[in-house]
Amino acid sequence: MIRKTYPPLFIVLFFGQLLLISHGTAGPREDGLQAYRQGHYQEAIRIWQPLAQAGDVELQYNLGVMYSEGRGVDQDPDRALQWFQSAAQAGDSDALARLGRMYALGQGVDKDPTQAAKLLQNAARKGNASAEYNLGVLYANGLGIKQDAELAMRWYYRAAEQGHVGAQYNLAHMHEYGTGIPKDLREAFRWYEKAARAGAADAQANLGLMYFNGHGTEKDPVLAYAWLSAAAEQKLNGAENNKAYVFARLGRDEKRQAEQLAAEFIKKHRP
């Protein structure tokens, strides 16, 4: 029996991306950027720190990430917090989002979902996709803010339209099951497909099941097998069994086509 389904992503996710923006002019800022790109993190910190102390907001954020994740230095949540706070006070949306993460998870600070919600709201209003997504997570689960499925969906949409894969997946799941909103399988299919093409294994698996069952689209067991194969390649729990279940129900020609398509999807649709 085929297994259904993979749940929404309820973990607050952030990625430690630096703002590696070249301003096109020679100088210490660009020297630090070059050092960072070459993996010389300690040298980048040495160059950037005085510039950050002088008020460079992007570099304040970058130093926060480096101290938070231990790039070129020992992990130091207190110093990371100081740099993120400096950048956030200047209105930097990435810093506001990272601070929201810290308060949501209790990393380097006492866990405070209410403060997390405030920070994420500020960042989300500036169009920060990660903050929009995470604010959606807080609204969906009533963490530090009154639970509201409609507002969760609105923030997921904003993030999803900017290409945020987690938001695309959660939005699809809400539409598939009618979680606080009317069920809409076509809309669920649309967003699962976007997330699947971006390499999200859970979305690939659920998209495969929608093709197999004809939910939100016409039945297509060949495409079902291909998407389940992509998810199984990423070792998603249950995907291998579902893939085998579908394959056993294909005709000879369908099996050949499905295996060819699966190889293509595995190569093309990775994270």
Side-chain angles (χ1 to χ4, degrees):
M1 191 68 178
I2 201 161
R3 177 187 167 189
K4 189 70 163 157
T5 183
Y6 298 89
L9 305 175
F10 283 150
I11 299 174
V12 180
L13 300 175
F14 279 81
F15 302 94
Q17 298 293 331
L18 270 67
L19 300 175
L20 300 180
I21 300 172
S22 175
H23 287 216
T25 57
R29 199 178 199 284
E30 296 299 311
D31 292 342
L33 179 59
Q34 183 68 18
Y36 182 87
R37 286 175 171 164
Q38 293 175 351
H40 302 152
Y41 299 138
Q42 290 182 340
E43 178 66 6
I45 289 174
R46 185 189 68 78
I47 295 171
W48 280 345
Q49 189 150 310
L51 300 177
Q53 290 170 336
D56 189 311
V57 176
E58 289 178 4
L59 297 186
Q60 290 171 349
Y61 171 78
N62 284 359
L63 288 176
V65 173
M66 295 178 81
Y67 277 106
S68 176
E69 301 185 359
R71 300 187 195 179
V73 291
D74 292 334
Q75 281 187 305
D76 190 334
D78 290 337
R79 296 192 74 175
L81 177 64
Q82 291 171 3
W83 284 119
F84 286 140
Q85 286 176 330
S86 294
Q89 286 169 3
D92 183 79
S93 67
D94 290 296
L96 287 164
R98 286 295 298 242
L99 282 174
R101 169 191 186 259
M102 294 175 77
Y103 279 102
L105 301 179
Q107 293 183 338
V109 294
D110 291 335
K111 192 171 183 179
D112 188 341
T114 301
Q115 179 66 5
K118 290 178 181 177
L119 290 162
L120 290 172
Q121 284 174 326
N122 287 339
R125 291 188 184 109
K126 294 175 181 288
N128 185 285
S130 291
E132 290 169 344
Y133 163 67
N134 284 298
L135 189 56
V137 171
L138 297 188
Y139 272 117
N141 294 279
L143 300 173
I145 204 165
K146 184 179 179 181
Q147 191 170 22
D148 190 320
E150 185 175 344
L151 283 175
M153 181 185 67
R154 289 181 187 179
W155 286 113
Y156 284 152
Y157 261 112
R158 292 190 184 188
E161 287 165 355
Q162 292 195 62
H164 193 288
V165 177
Q168 291 171 347
Y169 179 84
N170 281 6
L171 192 57
H173 200 277
M174 289 182 76
H175 281 297
E176 183 180 10
Y177 288 96
T179 309
I181 59 173
K183 183 183 288 191
D184 187 336
L185 293 180
R186 288 188 179 276
E187 190 71 352
F189 175 87
R190 182 167 81 93
W191 288 109
Y192 276 141
E193 185 176 38
K194 287 181 182 293
R197 290 186 180 280
D202 297 73
Q204 292 170 346
N206 282 353
L207 185 65
L209 298 181
M210 294 193 84
Y211 270 119
F212 182 76
N213 293 307
H215 291 167
T217 188
E218 293 183 4
K219 283 189 176 184
D220 191 325
V222 170
L223 278 170
Y225 178 82
W227 282 117
L228 286 165
S229 296
E233 184 71 14
Q234 296 192 58
K235 310 300 182 186
L236 183 69
N237 185 40
E240 188 67 42
N241 289 338
N242 284 349
K243 165 188 164 183
Y245 184 90
V246 172
F247 192 74
R249 284 152 182 78
L250 298 177
R252 180 181 299 175
D253 291 341
E254 287 179 322
K255 286 180 177 178
R256 183 169 56 252
Q257 182 185 358
E259 288 179 329
Q260 291 174 349
L261 195 60
E264 177 185 332
F265 279 22
I266 288 169
K267 182 177 180 180
K268 185 176 181 180
H269 302 299
R270 296 177 175 178

